[in-house]
Amino acid sequence: MNSENESISFDVLIVGAGPAGLSAAIRLKQQAKKLQMNLSVCVLEKASEVGGHIISGAIIESRVLSELFPDWENLGAPLYTKVAQEFFLFLTQASYFKLPIPTQFSNNGNYIISLGKLCRWLALQAESLGVEIFPGFPAAKLLYSSDGSVKGVVTADMGLDKKNNQTDHYQQGIEIYAKQVIFAEGCRGSLSKQIINKYKLDNQSEDQVYGLGLKELWEVQESNFEEGEIFHTVGWPLPADVYGGSFLYQLENNIISIGLVVGLDYKNTWLSPYDLFQQFKSHPYIQKIIKGGKRISYGARTLSEGGFQSLPKLTFPGGMLIGDSAGFLNVPKLKGTHMAMQSGVVAADALIQHFKGNVNLANKEVIGYGKQIKENWMWDELYRARNIKPAFSLGLKTGLLYSAFDSYVLRGMGVWTLKHKHVYLQRKGKTKKSISPEYDGIITFERLSSVYLSNIHHIEDQPCHLQLKDATKAISINYKQYASPEERYCPAGVYKIVKQPNAEVRLQIDAQNCLHCKACDIKDPSQNINWVVPEGGSGPNYAMM
Amino acid sequence: MKILIPIKKVLDPAVHVRVKSDESGVDITNEKMSINPFDEIAIEAALQLKESDATSELIAVTCGADDAVSVLYSAMAMGVDRSIHISTDMELQPLAIAKLLARVCITENPSLVICGKQAIDDDASQVPQMLAGLTGWSQAMFVTEIENKSENELLVTTEIDGGLENLKITLPAVISTDLRLNTPRYITLMNIMKAKKKQLDVISSDSLSVDVEPRLQTLKVVPAPDEREGEIVNNVDELIIKLKERTRMI
Ligand SMILES: Cc1cc2nc3c(=O)[nH]c(=O)nc-3n(C[C@H](O)[C@H](O)[C@H](O)COP(=O)(O)OP(=O)(O)OC[C@H]3O[C@@H](n4cnc5c(N)ncnc54)[C@H](O)[C@@H]3O)c2cc1C
Ligand code: SF4
């Protein structure tokens, strides 16, 4: 057995080929070229191709794209549909009311896109600038130098069996070293999580809070299709004490994107975001649009909803956090892409300055990045949006009233900052059990037929990437005290309680259905589930999510 | 030994096929594309032959539009030495591909051509046989085992109806690989980097003066009927009642 990993070095290593990581890579190469600097940049991506794990709404503000590529239109960037009409609705079970849209939330001039497609395009641009992108190679472990700084990462081993034994096809992960490692893993990054803990980056900030977004693409009948029309809703079917809302965006070629985002700080253990999403589609207003259409894709992903108050420190010796790994997301706008990209750009600029000024690189922390973000427009944008989500912890109506006041009157400049209250799941006895849903197979579907549309590839004979720190807690705590909430919040039905006659109740984990949404890593009541990267190329293959 | 491995870019096997709403074909826009899995087995077979004879040269070849080169880079990352891209924007049907490959066989003069037994997109399983016919070389199809006997002979086991057949074939030959032949190796990061530096020749299909005009016309493509959902019954009696009610089979 070869116990020494192979190794390779780059100037900069970026973990994650999402909008944040790719923008950073592109900016680094563009700036290096201008300054005639030699700079090697490597990007690792766990999906088998760039975009395969990307899921978003997505409406984007194109300002950062224009900064990177002023002529993106001529270069063929996949932004085709401009927002033409916009509504904001309050839903009741059978009806709806239109609400006014605050000007700073208006989507006038924004584009409706597939973020996966945009990432593929960005990857092509990055490669033509000389960035080395490796899809199918997850960063699995962190490497530290003796001085405590981050030195690099190790990619995931391939070809281990369920019991961690090497098969004939075993390939040991390789060590990748870099002068700076940029973590761009998106929400709840598996390595970013360790980094934040190790360097106590969240010491000064409030707890991060999260939402789970579920999304489907539908090909609808031509007569129901209105290119460029978008709307967001609040209200039904979410209970009044659950933060969240839906979106419906009409792209091109009769394709619509429809989704529901549910705040993961809900208390009721019986709540099932997946079923709420299915139920949502049966609302008369939504049915009218999708009836007679065909569902073509399904996926889910968490997003960071803490905003301004929850931002961690962004730098540490040897690296930095960008994009949703750091929590850059404008929650009331449901937009993170422009911030992910902008944070990548600011980080890249700071890093170039750092490399220029530090020939021997004795100082391994790029503090300039943290400073420059505060001078950037995105800091101001996050600041203005900071009080909306916490206000909703007082209930939907108060939240709506507050946000109207905050947005129209104060324009986000109130002198106070509302806190996020950390909410825990309540035990099963305290909350009301909901009725099991029924699926009609036309508009609403059960989990497994949804997962089928995510095109998952996952070799079953590999170590389970959903690790229980203490296996007994799955029954003693999760099952006995909380009625196994993972059966409901997992959007892919990975966790199942199995009861067989004459056998003890046990938790079955169907890891091969995992969508890499990270909800279990967040929502487990005793934080007992640790999500780690599986073998490279595992997980969904989203085409245009 | 010089080995030629024809490969094809197809919809990735993990992707569930969706028929276009106008029934003109399968929708592959934005979907993940990969090397045809049987061709990966062919590449692995060639790599294993090279392991026993280091003087071998492995050449991957694909015919198709410009984006088809991605599979050649994957093949080179697996360990193939160099590649040829026969570029065309025409729709290529099996006979046209076999004719183009036959031209490459003349210029490259390989001792062995290893093909996947079929491409998982159209499942035609015609190119290897047609290529053997056009070149007049020996052929062995659906090979489950290969043994390199000598300079100009190969022992192979092939799958036939009801059993296995052991064949001795003289080279040059065309063989096609069965699923059971081997499990392809993983591509490593180091080898991806090396692959970028390997030789890739592009030949325009027009320059080969081959008639590649399509001869088959697709009338329409329809999705397979939805399978009815399964149902769990509690005991055999219940099963019999349901079968009687629903199917009238008994
Ligand atoms: C349902 C939903 C709707 C949304 N709608 C909108 C919208 O309309 N507009 C908008 O602007 N924003 C929207 N957002 C938010 C937006 O999608 C995110 O803010 C944005 O994608 C964050 O970009 P990122 O690059 O930081 O992370 P991500 O997009 O999550 O990308 C991270 C990448 O890193 C890879 N990765 C992670 N860990 C590793 C590892 N260890 N090794 C290798 N690779 C790794 C992942 O596979 C992924 O490709 C939405 C989000 C969701 C979930
Ligand atoms: S197992 Fe965890 S990460 Fe995977 S889909 Fe379920 S909740 Fe999401």
Side-chain angles (χ1 to χ4, degrees), chain A residues 15-16 18-20 46 53-55 115 183-193 196 208-213 261-262 264 300-307 321-329 336 340 515-523 531 533:
Chain A
V15 181
K46 65 180 159 66
H53 289 176
I54 295 291
I55 160 167
L115 186 59
F183 293 88
E185 300 176 282
C187 180
R188 194 74 167 191
S190 45
L191 296 182
S192 310
K193 183 173 99 168
I196 292 172
Q208 184 57 274
V209 283
Y210 302 90
L212 174 61
V261 178
V262 178
L264 277 178
R301 178 84 171 95
T302 49
L303 41 152
S304 313
E305 292 193 332
L321 298 173
I322 63 173
D324 210 1
S325 280
F328 287 121
L329 194 116
L515 291 168
H516 295 206
C517 79
K518 318 272 180 85
C520 50
D521 196 281
I522 295 165
K523 191 63 183 167
W531 191 99
V533 289

Side-chain angles (χ1 to χ4, degrees), chain A residues 48 132 169 219 452 455 535, chain B residues 16 21 32 183 186 188 196:
Chain A
S48 63
E132 305 260 10
H169 302 279
E219 184 178 351
Y452 177 82
N455 296 329
E535 206 168 78
Chain B
H16 299 293
S21 41
K32 187 183 176 220
T183 312
Y186 288 116
T188 67
K196 290 185 182 161

Side-chain angles (χ1 to χ4, degrees), chain A residues 7-8 48-49 120 132 134 137 158 169 171 219 296 452 455 535 541 543-544, chain B residues 14-16 18-19 21 30-32 183-184 186-190 192-193 196:
Chain A
S7 73
I8 178 171
S48 63
E49 64 169 359
R120 275 183 212 128
E132 305 260 10
F134 298 104
F137 292 91
M158 305 281 282
H169 302 279
Q171 285 286 350
E219 184 178 351
I296 55 180
Y452 177 82
N455 296 329
E535 206 168 78
N541 284 287
M544 42 183 282
Chain B
V15 174
H16 299 293
R18 194 162 51 82
V19 171
S21 41
N30 303 308
E31 298 289 358
K32 187 183 176 220
T183 312
Y186 288 116
I187 292 178
T188 67
L189 199 143
M190 296 298 188
I192 294 179
M193 297 188 64
K196 290 185 182 161

Side-chain angles (χ1 to χ4, degrees), chain A residues 212 300 465-466 486 489-495 509 511 513-521 529 531:
Chain A
L212 174 61
H465 73 288
L466 304 155
E486 59 276 17
Y489 66 66
C490 170
V494 166
Y495 300 95
I509 303 181
N513 286 344
C514 177
L515 291 168
H516 295 206
C517 79
K518 318 272 180 85
C520 50
D521 196 281
I529 301 176
W531 191 99

